Amino acid sequence: MPKKDDEVKKSAKEKRQEKARLKAGAVASKEKVVEVDEVGEAVASASAQLKMLGASSTSKSVGDLELAKARNSTGVLGSHPLSRDLKILSFSLSLHGKRLIEDTTLELSYGNRYGLIGANGSGKSTFLTTLASRELPIPDHIDIFHLDEEAEPSDRTALQAVVDVVQKQVETLEALSEEILETAGPDAEILQDIYDRIDRLDPNTFEMRATEILIGLGFSQAFLAKRTRDLSGGWRMRVALGRALLSQPALLLLDEPTNH
């Protein structure tokens, strides 16, 4: 079975590479001259969208502009810019002028799990939102998924609610790759980052993996077919967690996922 999965991934990657070559040929045949500034703007725009892709898909807190204005954070990147580990030096955080964290070192090692313990109002959620909003110097290649509320009630089934969100991420990534191909060409470095993320999400196995994840979270076959508006808050939180697990982010932030 692993061999078959590898062949599917390889085939998908080959298709994208072939598409890139065809696109490059089409652009060249039109003898279109792209200005350097236009290329730079396209790459910068794609990089910014990649940064916010994970957090903006589920996080209500990240979108709260009033709270964003009330937060103030400082810190210096202490880890290598290409490392999967994250180290922030001289990290300080305040909310509405109240100091929550002062001049400390934040270290998150890839693959490890961490828990926050503190009284209500001590700043745990503010800390997670600060990370998710990238208000600290977090390298672009570390994608973030911030879960702070249950999945929205709708007519979609639990399974569809998981698959649709991650499918939207893939569509966004594919649109970005098209934009970069047309402006910067197939040799742009950011394209490899986009392709790597698409490969990691593995669109060919969405439904199968989403089903396995939800069953692992306690869903029965009958519950998989239930509309999310017919599920309790606790079950919809499991749907949201399923989205996070299917997305496979480098940094997964869970804000009270069992608080239902």
Side-chain angles (χ1 to χ4, degrees):
M1 287 301 295
K3 184 177 180 181
K4 186 175 181 181
D5 290 341
D6 291 342
E7 289 175 352
V8 171
K9 289 184 180 181
K10 183 178 179 182
S11 176
K13 191 169 186 178
E14 286 176 346
K15 287 179 181 178
R16 284 196 299 274
Q17 290 173 340
E18 178 63 24
K19 190 174 182 179
R21 287 193 291 270
L22 292 173
K23 178 70 71 172
V27 172
S29 66
K30 293 178 182 178
E31 297 181 350
K32 179 180 179 181
V33 179
V34 180
E35 297 293 336
V36 174
D37 286 348
E38 183 182 348
V39 173
E41 287 176 4
V43 172
S45 174
S47 179
Q49 290 184 63
L50 283 176
K51 284 182 181 181
M52 296 307 297
L53 185 60
S56 63
S57 64
T58 59
S59 179
K60 178 178 65 176
S61 301
V62 169
D64 191 325
L65 298 181
E66 289 301 316
L67 276 179
K69 293 177 183 178
R71 287 192 305 272
N72 183 45
S73 60
T74 57
V76 178
L77 182 65
S79 50
H80 192 282
L82 298 180
S83 174
R84 292 194 295 180
D85 299 331
L86 178 64
K87 184 175 184 179
I88 303 293
L89 304 174
S90 303
F91 172 41
S92 295
L93 173 65
S94 62
L95 180 67
H96 295 295
K98 178 184 177 182
R99 183 72 61 162
L100 302 175
I101 300 173
E102 186 168 6
D103 195 23
T104 191
T105 297
L106 168 65
E107 289 190 72
L108 299 175
S109 298
Y110 182 80
N112 284 4
R113 298 180 182 182
Y114 302 90
L116 298 179
I117 300 175
N120 290 337
S122 61
K124 300 185 296 298
S125 293
T126 300
F127 167 66
L128 293 179
T129 303
T130 299
L131 290 176
S133 302
R134 294 183 179 271
E135 293 166 13
L136 295 170
I138 300 174
D140 295 354
H141 68 87
I142 298 179
D143 54 323
I144 304 171
F145 195 110
H146 183 210
L147 190 157
D148 63 347
E149 64 176 342
E150 65 270 13
E152 68 285 350
S154 71
D155 287 327
R156 290 184 298 176
T157 66
L159 183 59
Q160 289 172 334
V162 171
V163 172
D164 288 354
V165 167
V166 185
Q167 178 64 48
K168 186 177 180 181
Q169 291 183 27
V170 171
E171 291 172 357
T172 299
L173 290 169
E174 289 177 339
L176 284 175
S177 68
E178 288 286 336
E179 179 183 346
I180 294 300
L181 279 170
E182 291 180 359
T183 54
D187 296 326
E189 290 185 9
I190 196 172
L191 273 177
Q192 189 57 51
D193 185 18
I194 294 174
Y195 291 155
D196 286 345
R197 294 194 187 196
I198 294 175
D199 282 341
R200 194 171 70 207
L201 290 171
D202 194 6
N204 296 298
T205 61
F206 272 168
E207 189 165 331
M208 178 188 72
R209 288 186 294 121
T211 299
E212 292 176 350
I213 288 170
L214 288 174
I215 289 177
L217 291 172
F219 278 79
S220 64
Q221 289 294 337
F223 255 54
L224 288 176
K226 270 199 169 187
R227 294 174 295 187
T228 55
R229 65 184 177 88
D230 295 328
L231 298 175
S232 67
W235 284 104
R236 282 191 281 111
M237 179 56 82
R238 296 189 193 195
V239 172
L241 183 55
R243 291 171 173 173
L245 296 175
L246 186 60
S247 297
Q248 301 183 61
L251 180 57
L252 174 59
L253 305 174
L254 304 178
D255 193 345
E256 299 185 341
T258 59
N259 194 28
H260 289 271

